[in-house]
Amino acid sequence: MRLQATRTSVTSAGGASDAFYRAAGGKPTLDQRFEKDKSLRDKISGKNLITFSRSSGTNKGATYVDSDGLIKTSPVNLVTYSEQFDQTAWTKSNGVQVTPNAAESPTDENTADLINFTGGSQRLYSNFTPSAGTYTLSVYLRVASGSKQLRMQAYSPADGVQNKSITVTNTWQRFSHTVVVSNTQTSFYPVSPVDIGEVYIWGAQLQEGTLTDYIPTQGTPSGAPRFDHDPVTGESLGLLIEEGRTNLIQISEPDNRTFPSPFNSYWSTQNLDLSAEVTKVLGPDGVSNSASEMQLATAGGWDLYYTINNITAGESCTFSAWVKLGTATNLVLVPNNRTSWNSMISDCRSFDSSDGLNTTSFTKVS
């Protein structure tokens, strides 16, 4: 569903057009210009009055059509409780103290936390097991007066310590640190002490790729709002929203990773060599190396399957994928019960040209 709110459709004063407001000398109390501004910020108050979140169980966001007509993926904030550093999702080592809601945040709400570093070995951090790649950590910081020398960090045994020195003043600033990591558990430190003392913190974000607008989170990672467009004309279609959904496939493209507990999800192969017969190619989002071209076997048996352990019994599940044919004529989905290893024949499905699959463009099937 797309939400196309304007000043005439979301106000408490009512009215059919801006002309009525001008004639009556009135002013709307809420002016959300999703189509024009591509923002959740209210034009009247200048603040984000909408609480937006979209759960994302992986580091991959949802898709939308950008103004250039290309399918793109929205960024995802991978840290949880991005404004609540007193939560157990944030590890506080060696006695570091966090006081919640101790000051006004950059959005003028009393949601900024206070961290008191009394020793140089104290740390505030969050752990994450990423896929290998480039990530950007960002956070808003300030001190009560003067300035302090602090640092942002990423650490893993495989990649070592990646530091960035920062100078924090008494004015809110958003600091960022871009790092390259392996697919091993990595600790991300939004702020660590060089100078000890108190520092105010708000709005931590960890995302794949380069820095984007801040995305608040609660108990799960969250994707950014998507402002959709007509793929032919490029016309803005407003804010794209939908019911909550979770992608149970934690690794959306075939590779050799294993997603850890509680999911324990992974790809397995029989007639397909992941290292030699899978090539990264241009995907439907217009991004190089975002899709996988697979050299499927002609012999019997199966090529690859994905193990999922986090399905709830009795719930309906929908499979979907973007597919472009090469020399193959179809894509076959075979759900299998791992308890007894018997295929659920009634749920097997072959997707082919009757579903829109072709050799020139990607088609989403489900």
Side-chain angles (χ1 to χ4, degrees):
M1 181 175 69
R2 296 182 181 89
L3 193 58
Q4 297 170 276
T6 66
R7 67 169 60 206
T8 56
S9 62
V10 185
T11 69
S12 62
S17 69
D18 287 351
F20 289 132
Y21 289 116
R22 290 192 294 269
K27 181 180 180 182
T29 58
L30 178 64
D31 187 359
Q32 299 284 177
R33 304 184 181 186
F34 298 137
E35 289 183 87
K36 180 179 179 181
D37 295 342
K38 299 185 179 68
S39 170
L40 299 180
R41 189 173 297 278
D42 171 37
K43 192 71 174 180
I44 303 301
S45 67
K47 298 180 180 180
N48 285 343
L49 301 180
I50 295 176
T51 300
F52 177 91
S53 65
R54 187 183 64 253
S55 176
S56 178
T58 72
N59 60 339
K60 302 297 182 183
T63 57
Y64 65 99
V65 178
D66 205 357
S67 57
D68 55 11
L70 296 178
I71 298 173
K72 296 185 178 179
T73 302
S74 62
V76 174
N77 187 353
L78 299 167
V79 299
T80 58
Y81 297 106
S82 62
E83 299 171 17
Q84 298 168 269
F85 300 92
D86 57 320
Q87 290 284 335
T88 56
W90 292 96
T91 300
K92 295 161 277 288
S93 66
N94 299 322
V96 63
Q97 300 173 17
V98 176
T99 304
N101 303 327
E104 285 191 350
S105 70
T107 58
D108 300 325
E109 300 169 302
N110 197 55
T111 54
D113 292 353
L114 177 65
I115 303 176
N116 186 14
F117 292 113
T118 59
S121 62
Q122 294 179 331
R123 295 289 184 270
L124 172 81
Y125 62 93
S126 179
N127 291 326
F128 177 66
T129 303
S131 55
T134 300
Y135 291 81
T136 299
L137 174 65
S138 62
V139 68
Y140 291 84
L141 300 168
R142 76 169 179 87
V143 294
S145 61
S147 64
K148 288 187 182 299
Q149 296 300 308
L150 300 167
R151 59 176 165 248
M152 306 176 75
Q153 291 179 309
Y155 169 76
S156 73
D159 304 307
V161 179
Q162 299 181 62
N163 280 329
K164 180 178 181 179
S165 297
I166 57 176
T167 301
V168 179
T169 68
N170 61 356
T171 301
W172 281 114
Q173 290 179 262
R174 191 185 190 193
F175 298 90
S176 65
H177 182 26
T178 300
V179 298
V180 178
V181 300
S182 307
N183 58 334
T184 57
Q185 179 171 296
T186 303
S187 297
F188 292 95
Y189 304 78
V191 59
S192 296
V194 175
D195 297 336
I196 61 173
E198 296 182 337
V199 58
Y200 293 101
I201 183 171
W202 183 85
Q205 182 155 310
L206 172 66
Q207 63 187 104
E208 190 172 21
T210 56
L211 184 68
T212 65
D213 290 342
Y214 167 62
I215 307 164
T217 65
Q218 291 291 321
T220 59
S222 180
R226 295 169 295 159
F227 298 96
D228 207 30
H229 299 78
D230 186 295
V232 178
T233 66
E235 177 187 2
S236 177
L237 298 177
L239 177 64
L240 183 61
I241 59 176
E242 70 287 316
E243 297 177 72
R245 293 290 185 268
T246 299
N247 188 353
L248 299 175
I249 297 182
Q250 303 296 314
I251 308 167
S252 59
E253 295 177 39
D255 63 26
N256 293 313
R257 283 176 292 151
T258 296
F259 206 89
S261 179
F263 305 107
N264 296 322
S265 301
Y266 53 89
W267 288 97
S268 297
T269 63
Q270 185 181 71
N271 294 325
L272 180 69
D273 185 339
L274 286 178
S275 61
E277 296 177 323
V278 175
T279 304
K280 293 297 183 181
V281 297
L282 184 73
D285 54 359
V287 177
S288 300
N289 303 324
S290 65
S292 298
E293 181 181 73
M294 293 175 284
Q295 302 298 319
L296 303 182
T298 57
W302 46 269
D303 290 286
L304 79 163
Y305 72 82
Y306 189 82
T307 298
I308 305 176
N309 291 329
N310 57 325
I311 290 180
T312 302
E315 288 189 351
S316 296
C317 296
T318 299
F319 165 83
S320 66
W322 291 90
V323 180
K324 182 169 73 170
L325 297 176
T327 56
T329 57
N330 64 343
L331 169 73
V332 179
L333 172 70
V334 182
N336 193 297
N337 185 343
R338 291 188 68 230
T339 302
S340 55
W341 291 102
N342 60 307
S343 297
M344 296 175 282
I345 301 300
S346 62
D347 294 317
C348 295
R349 174 69 191 273
S350 175
F351 302 95
D352 52 33
S353 58
S354 64
D355 301 289
L357 296 187
N358 61 84
T359 59
T360 60
S361 62
F362 281 93
T363 301
K364 189 176 184 180
V365 296
S366 64

